[in-house]
Amino acid sequence: MANYSTNEFRSGLKVMFEKEPCSILENEFVKPGKGQAFSRVKLRNLKTGRVLEKTFKSGESLEAADVMDTDMQYLYNDGDFWYFMEPQTFEQHQADEKAVGEASQWLREQDVCVVTLYNGAPLSVTPPNHVDLEILETDPGLRGDTATGGTKPAILSTGAVIKVPLFLEQNEVVRVDTRTGEYLGRAKD
Amino acid sequence: MEGEWRAAIDRPTLEYRAHVMQTMRTFLSSRGVLEVDVPALGRHAVTDPHIDSIATGDFSSEGFLQSSPEFYMKRLLASGSGDIFSLGKAFRAGETGPRHNVEFTLLEWYRVDWDEHQLMAELADLVTHLWPEVGSLTLSYGEAFEQHVQINPHTASLTQLRLAAVAQGAERWHDASRANCLDVLFNLCVEPLLPRGLVFLYDYPACQAGLSQLYQNREGQQVSRRFEVYLNNLELANGYFELTDAVEQRRRFDDDLAARIASDKPPVAQDERLLQALEAGLPSCAGVALGVDRLIMQLLEIPTIDLTMPFNWARR
């Protein structure tokens, strides 16, 4: 793979750091009036999600990471693996629990996700920001209660548990923000 | 992009910029410091291994855009000019960022028979003219460093400094030089915690002397008579009780060149005319260089340097 020097570090660049694939979040050029320049860099470890703050001498380089974000359709889960398909090539990829992680609770068959491939294998899965999911189980709805702002827990078809307003019923389809787990409203259609 | 022909700053900012430069000229002239304009396109590049000069032209217009007016001003001082200042452009290749622009405006002045502490007081007066309520704190580099890093920068071993730098997230600093370790620790641990207002730090480590004289401080440590000025945590100015010894000056040039070779930088020729000026006799003096754009940044609370000048590096 290619190497990137500190002056090529940009937000979003994928590099290897301590043998782990990382994404550069920020790169700040620091240069004392009398002294060597250096770069203060924020990196996110793409495996653990942890953010690191490191300082590199100007001109140091890091190896590029073979990391690619690809849109894929989620197919199914066989109990051990989650299967995704590239829509153009129909190529299928299996992702393990580590790669899918928290995303599993938002995955609905046929939905298009971003699968991050590292050396060709799924490293992480990012669900769509908004998903429409059916309520499997919740307390009976309090008809007409749209004003008090109270909430109750609801179990969704994917197993996710979110808070919904009191007036919602079982089998209704709701829209959820997968980044926060927040209820956004009833699904439009 | 649309509108990129336009100046990056509005009329009030232009007026403030003009006001700052006018204030500088009036302040120094009224104190008997003579304005001089020296070549921006000089014969030599500075030897400093951390400053890259911009080379120009072919044999007919060959030279380097000057990274500071220092050498010409010292030749003037040795020619008998007396106290002088220069308000002009300086150039440093590759330096762009929120606090750097390749071409920038520098106010540099020299006071004959003054020491660095007198010059620090004058700089405080100048900034107070522009910002009357500004607070000011003066302490030694060693005090500031020890307070925040809990290490004595003058007596600590190189290993100790390297370990401290690595512990602060400095990657591949295990073989860094003493000066590099001090710089990174200072930047990460001290600079962000300096109080607002003006902070004067004097008695810099001997390994970061630049072109200042060395001496033994009261604790018997060898330190340099260099000072730095910070304004609201931003490096604003650098000054020296100037080195006047031609032999020592030549040694520092040689050290710079060795450092350049060690880091695969192009060697540069030593400025023989500066050395001749020192041999002829540079009067005892103190000098300081102040970043005008950075001063405007802090006075107007502008977050990045490119919005202090009409045509920054991206818009030129």
Side-chain angles (χ1 to χ4, degrees):
Chain A
M1 292 297 281
N3 279 299
Y4 292 114
S5 159
T6 52
N7 58 21
E8 297 171 290
F9 286 5
R10 298 273 182 279
S11 165
L13 193 73
K14 309 290 195 294
V15 292
M16 295 301 293
F17 181 71
E18 288 173 346
K19 298 180 181 158
E20 303 268 290
C22 294
S23 175
I24 288 178
L25 302 177
E26 276 174 38
N27 174 25
E28 188 193 354
F29 174 73
V30 179
K31 170 83 173 67
K34 308 279 166 190
Q36 195 184 10
F38 45 93
S39 283
R40 288 179 64 176
V41 182
K42 269 192 193 156
L43 304 134
R44 172 177 284 125
N45 181 315
L46 291 171
K47 279 187 178 166
T48 64
R50 221 157 60 88
V51 174
L52 309 162
E53 288 189 43
K54 292 286 170 186
T55 304
F56 295 87
K57 288 176 206 156
S58 221
E60 291 267 357
S61 58
L62 290 175
E63 195 190 336
D66 180 11
V67 170
M68 237 176 20
D69 290 336
T70 316
D71 284 340
M72 291 193 205
Q73 196 173 48
Y74 169 57
L75 300 177
Y76 63 96
N77 166 7
D78 69 2
D80 295 321
F81 294 101
W82 285 255
Y83 292 84
F84 296 86
M85 182 180 74
E86 292 191 42
Q88 273 82 40
T89 61
F90 304 111
E91 192 185 337
Q92 290 190 20
H93 294 268
Q94 60 174 43
D96 61 15
E97 199 176 344
K98 227 173 107 194
V100 176
E102 295 273 291
S104 68
Q105 60 176 329
W106 308 117
L107 291 179
R108 200 179 62 161
E109 290 172 12
Q110 318 299 328
D111 274 356
V112 174
C113 307
V114 176
V115 178
T116 303
L117 296 175
Y118 170 49
N119 294 332
L123 177 69
S124 65
V125 174
T126 311
N129 290 341
H130 299 155
V131 292
D132 294 343
L133 297 170
E134 189 186 341
I135 296 177
L136 277 193
E137 218 183 301
T138 191
D139 290 338
L142 288 176
R143 203 165 295 280
D145 188 353
T146 55
T148 58
T151 60
K152 59 182 178 181
I155 303 175
L156 307 181
S157 56
T158 53
V161 179
I162 65 162
K163 283 183 178 150
V164 298
L166 296 174
F167 59 84
L168 285 171
E169 299 281 3
Q170 230 167 286
N171 302 330
E172 285 196 85
V173 179
V174 293
R175 176 156 293 184
V176 188
D177 189 317
T178 60
R179 294 160 296 186
T180 58
E182 269 173 33
Y183 165 84
L184 295 173
R186 282 193 172 108
K188 293 287 183 291
D189 47 12
Chain B
M1 218 207 284
E2 201 191 339
E4 292 230 317
W5 61 268
R6 253 179 207 292
I9 62 178
D10 57 11
R11 169 84 194 193
T13 313
L14 277 173
E15 282 172 9
Y16 192 78
R17 216 184 144 82
H19 163 70
V20 167
M21 292 195 286
Q22 193 55 52
T23 302
M24 289 171 167
R25 290 196 156 100
T26 309
F27 177 89
L28 289 169
S29 301
S30 71
R31 291 171 170 230
V33 186
L34 180 69
E35 178 162 12
V36 295
D37 53 341
V38 295
L41 179 52
R43 186 186 295 269
H44 289 283
V46 70
T47 55
D48 188 323
H50 306 305
I51 294 179
D52 295 325
S53 299
I54 298 168
T56 60
D58 54 15
F59 62 93
S60 64
S61 51
E62 201 169 41
F64 296 91
L65 292 173
Q66 296 297 284
S67 56
S68 106
E70 180 169 5
F71 290 1
Y72 286 112
M73 294 183 83
K74 285 181 174 172
R75 284 167 64 184
L76 274 169
L77 289 158
S79 308
S81 66
D83 299 333
I84 47 175
F85 78 92
S86 152
L87 178 56
K89 297 292 191 182
F91 305 82
R92 294 181 188 181
E95 299 192 9
T96 43
R99 296 176 296 277
H100 294 84
N101 198 67
V102 170
E103 174 176 347
F104 59 103
T105 302
L106 200 59
L107 172 69
E108 182 153 332
W109 77 99
Y110 290 83
R111 288 295 218 156
V112 176
D113 290 331
W114 279 27
D115 68 16
E116 68 275 32
H117 292 278
Q118 289 171 288
L119 193 57
M120 283 190 264
E122 185 161 66
L123 195 151
D125 280 351
L126 170 60
V127 175
T128 306
H129 263 69
L130 292 158
W131 180 9
E133 303 81 29
V134 70
S136 169
L137 174 72
T138 304
L139 74 169
S140 72
Y141 177 97
E143 288 172 300
F145 196 92
E146 232 177 315
Q147 189 184 336
H148 297 295
V149 192
Q150 283 84 43
I151 291 178
N152 183 310
H154 308 300
T155 57
S157 71
L158 180 53
T159 310
Q160 205 179 348
L161 292 172
R162 284 172 176 168
L163 290 174
V166 170
Q168 289 298 328
E171 265 308 299
R172 305 174 196 177
W173 237 266
H174 50 273
D175 59 353
S177 71
R178 189 172 186 93
N180 270 344
C181 291
L182 291 172
D183 272 343
V184 83
L185 287 168
F186 188 88
N187 178 267
L188 296 172
C189 309
V190 185
E191 214 176 282
L193 299 176
L194 292 175
R196 276 179 62 82
L198 279 170
V199 178
F200 291 88
L201 298 175
Y202 60 91
D203 282 5
Y204 258 63
C207 64
Q208 299 184 321
L211 298 183
S212 66
Q213 293 194 19
L214 298 176
Y215 87 116
Q216 293 238 324
N217 68 7
R218 265 174 298 176
E219 287 79 45
Q221 296 150 350
Q222 173 96 328
V223 297
S224 74
R225 297 183 68 172
R226 169 184 164 197
F227 69 90
E228 282 270 347
V229 187
Y230 283 80
L231 181 57
N232 298 347
N233 311 82
L234 180 71
E235 185 187 5
L236 179 71
N238 173 71
Y240 302 138
F241 182 62
E242 300 289 345
L243 181 66
T244 53
D245 178 349
V247 176
E248 173 65 15
Q249 177 69 61
R250 194 178 285 278
R251 192 175 313 138
R252 296 211 191 159
F253 274 165
D254 289 341
D255 289 348
D256 280 352
L257 292 177
R260 281 185 162 269
I261 290 163
S263 55
D264 294 324
K265 293 217 172 202
V268 298
Q270 305 186 2
D271 187 339
E272 288 297 335
R273 288 178 179 167
L274 175 74
L275 290 166
Q276 286 162 14
L278 264 60
E279 278 158 16
L282 176 66
S284 175
C285 63
V288 66
L290 180 157
V292 176
D293 314 293
R294 285 189 176 187
L295 177 61
I296 293 167
M297 249 176 100
Q298 297 307 64
L299 293 174
L300 291 185
E301 297 180 8
I302 294 172
T304 55
I305 200 166
D306 55 334
L307 298 178
T308 65
M309 49 186 79
F311 299 104
N312 55 52
W313 188 246
R315 201 171 277 231
R316 88 208 120 101

